[in-house]
Amino acid sequence: MNESSPIRRETAREYPVADPVPASAPVRRRSRFGRWMLALLILGGLAAVAHRTYDARQKPAEETAQAPGRGGHGRGGRPTEMKQAVGVAPVVTGDMPVVLQGLGTVTPLATVSVRSQINGYLTKIGFREGQMVKEGDFLAQIDPRPYEALLAQYQGQLARDQALLQNSKLDLQRYQTLNRQDSISKQNVDTQAALVKQNEGTVAADQALVDQQKLNLTYARIVSPVDGRVGLRQVDLGNYITAGSTNIVVVTQLHPISVVFTLPEDDVARVMRRVREGAKLTVRAYDRSDQHEIATGSLDTVDNQIDTTTGTVKLRAMFENGDESLFPNQFVNARLTVETIRNAPLVPTAAILRGTPGTYVYLMDGDDKVTVRPIKTGETDGVNTVVVSGLNSGDRVVTDGTDRLREGAPVRVVGHTSGPQAAGPAAGAPGATLPTTPAAGAPAEGGANPPSQEHRGRRRQAP
């Protein structure tokens, strides 16, 4: 209202004005929620920064503690390497047998299924199941009475025909005398001579029948054909036995006994060379676990051909088996000692590694440092390995703790062995193992071009 308005403000009546609608209340709530969210984001960011800062400070310490060959700081803040704990063994000179291994089966030299050669009732059994018998020992009896009756009948026929033969011979003598006196014709003499021949044939046939029945009586008493052990009885007393079809018992020869095993065709030339030289090769039989020696024998013969389906050749080894430790049809691991390498440098197989440098070992350089030494290996028995080149007798190699080593790494020796012989049994002894594929190792860390330990362990190489 302007100044010229006739209504004066002083005298104007004032009316109460209603409170406006609080339109700003939702805005205030949203603003408060936004402030809380902003505060939380700020706190989260601060926490993340603090966590990363803490990790950044802790990580160098952890890497220093875990890194192989690294440690804290020495004097003046210079970094120092922690010494890796290792076990060492010296390279020694010894003998290494060359052993070939093959899977074999214990095979008896004689396994006889005892059957009757005549028909009849089983009247007696003369063995116990599992009994050891000798050749000719009584086993069973077939009823002999029918064959005894036939024998008596044929013996009677033989006696009659022998009498007829004797009479015909006397008549022939008379006819021959009369013929010389011209008292009888030549035809009568010839007829009588033919009759003598006929009676001789009859007597011979009768004698054959008698011998046959005597043989049947012999067959009625069944005896063991070989020395060995009888198995389980396969027919009971009182049964009717049919000739050639009824098994009574099985006799298996146990002393001596053989083991038939196979070798790859690549090893045939080496074995045959030793056989032609007249060498008596030793064969040892081990159990299925290949840990315990069962018996020791010698190579008897080699098969005359190679199996083209498997590329292997069969060999037979003979064992005395006095303690009957070898059982027929038992599966064994046969180890054939072909030859022995004399005065060879031996190193524990556990020390041999394979990687970028090839086959190598960690050689002790002084008392607190190692160096990588490439080597060439020869024969092995799984525990010890012949070193062809690269090492000398008396060198010390690392056998334990090689996973984190590298060229020039500092070490501290915590374990000693007296040499390869202390690492396990010798070749051919119980518990010795044969060459196998080397196991994979862990790559080295740090250093320039560190050798990667791709393989470790056991392998038989040609000399």
Side-chain angles (χ1 to χ4, degrees):
M1 184 170 294
N2 54 22
E3 296 293 330
S4 62
S5 176
I7 302 174
R8 298 187 62 85
R9 187 176 300 174
E10 294 83 359
T11 61
R13 187 177 177 182
E14 294 181 1
Y15 292 91
V17 181
D19 295 334
V21 178
S24 61
V27 177
R28 292 178 180 176
R29 293 193 185 101
R30 287 196 297 269
S31 299
R32 186 178 301 171
F33 179 77
R35 287 195 296 270
W36 279 106
M37 290 298 297
L38 181 59
L40 291 175
L41 290 175
I42 293 173
L43 291 175
L46 292 175
V49 172
H51 180 69
R52 297 190 65 176
T53 303
Y54 178 80
D55 288 345
R57 293 179 179 178
Q58 293 294 327
K59 187 174 181 180
E62 294 177 357
E63 292 179 349
T64 302
Q66 296 178 359
R70 298 180 181 179
H73 292 75
R75 295 180 180 179
R78 298 180 61 183
T80 59
E81 295 186 7
M82 294 182 61
K83 295 183 178 181
Q84 175 70 28
V86 296
V88 299
V91 179
V92 300
T93 301
D95 298 338
M96 172 60 67
V98 180
V99 180
L100 305 178
Q101 179 176 4
L103 182 62
T105 305
V106 179
T107 306
L109 297 180
T111 301
V112 183
S113 296
V114 179
R115 297 177 180 178
S116 174
Q117 299 189 58
I118 60 174
N119 300 331
Y121 287 96
L122 184 63
T123 59
K124 188 176 181 181
I125 294 178
F127 65 89
R128 292 180 292 103
E129 295 176 333
Q131 174 186 349
M132 295 297 299
V133 296
K134 299 290 185 179
E135 182 179 357
D137 286 353
F138 172 69
L139 295 179
Q141 179 70 51
I142 305 298
D143 187 4
R145 292 173 296 179
Y147 303 99
E148 291 174 349
L150 285 175
L151 176 60
Q153 177 183 348
Y154 293 144
Q155 285 176 341
Q157 293 179 3
L158 175 62
R160 182 195 61 186
D161 294 335
Q162 285 177 342
L164 293 176
L165 174 61
Q166 184 66 24
N167 183 54
S168 62
K169 287 182 177 181
L170 292 176
D171 289 345
L172 178 60
Q173 292 177 358
R174 297 188 187 99
Y175 289 167
Q176 290 174 347
T177 302
L178 294 175
N179 184 38
R180 287 193 295 270
Q181 298 175 357
D182 293 332
S183 300
I184 192 173
S185 65
K186 183 71 170 53
Q187 180 180 1
N188 292 333
V189 176
D190 294 338
T191 301
Q192 188 63 32
L195 181 61
V196 170
K197 294 290 184 181
Q198 179 180 352
N199 291 334
E200 288 178 349
T202 303
V203 169
D206 293 341
Q207 184 64 51
L209 291 175
V210 170
D211 294 340
Q212 180 182 1
Q213 295 309 311
K214 289 181 178 180
L215 183 61
N216 287 338
L217 288 175
T218 303
Y219 288 156
R221 179 182 172 85
I222 301 175
V223 297
S224 175
V226 295
D227 297 348
R229 175 186 292 165
V230 296
L232 300 179
R233 186 176 66 251
Q234 301 183 20
V235 63
D236 295 329
L237 191 67
N239 282 277
Y240 187 80
I241 305 299
T242 303
S245 61
T246 304
N247 288 338
I248 298 176
V249 74
V250 177
V251 181
T252 303
Q253 182 177 349
L254 300 179
H255 314 114
I257 202 168
S258 70
V259 171
V260 177
F261 62 100
T262 58
L263 289 178
E265 58 182 335
D266 297 338
D267 297 329
V268 174
R270 174 181 290 184
V271 175
M272 293 305 299
R273 175 173 57 84
R274 296 289 293 160
V275 170
R276 286 192 294 270
E277 292 174 355
K280 186 176 181 180
L281 304 183
T282 301
V283 180
R284 292 180 172 86
Y286 285 76
D287 60 2
R288 182 174 296 183
S289 63
D290 206 16
Q291 296 297 322
H292 304 287
E293 182 179 340
I294 302 176
T296 301
S298 60
L299 182 65
D300 181 62
T301 184
V302 182
D303 200 0
N304 60 355
Q305 60 183 352
I306 295 175
D307 189 349
T308 57
T309 59
T310 60
T312 59
V313 63
K314 292 182 179 180
L315 300 92
R316 184 188 295 273
M318 300 297 297
F319 296 81
E320 290 298 330
N321 200 30
D323 57 355
E324 300 181 9
S325 56
L326 294 175
F327 203 81
N329 296 334
Q330 176 184 0
F331 287 102
V332 296
N333 291 301
R335 296 184 185 178
L336 172 63
T337 303
V338 181
E339 56 187 340
T340 301
I341 302 175
R342 304 292 181 182
N343 299 323
L346 303 179
V347 65
T349 306
I352 300 177
L353 307 173
R354 289 172 175 83
T356 302
T359 303
Y360 66 97
V361 296
Y362 282 109
L363 179 66
M364 290 296 297
D365 186 6
D367 295 332
D368 57 357
K369 189 180 294 185
V370 295
T371 182
V372 175
R373 176 66 60 86
I375 63 173
K376 291 183 179 180
T377 59
E379 300 293 340
T380 179
D381 61 2
V383 178
N384 306 322
T385 301
V386 175
V387 179
V388 179
S389 63
L391 293 175
N392 298 319
S393 179
D395 290 342
R396 295 186 301 164
V397 295
V398 177
T399 58
D400 189 18
T402 60
D403 293 342
R404 296 182 178 180
L405 294 182
R406 59 183 178 84
E407 174 67 29
V411 296
R412 56 186 179 90
V413 178
V414 297
H416 293 270
T417 57
S418 59
Q421 289 80 3
T433 57
L434 286 175
T436 57
T437 304
E445 298 180 6
N449 298 326
S452 61
Q453 301 173 0
E454 296 176 354
H455 298 284
R456 173 191 301 172
R458 308 167 180 173
R459 183 179 181 184
R460 180 173 63 84
Q461 300 178 355

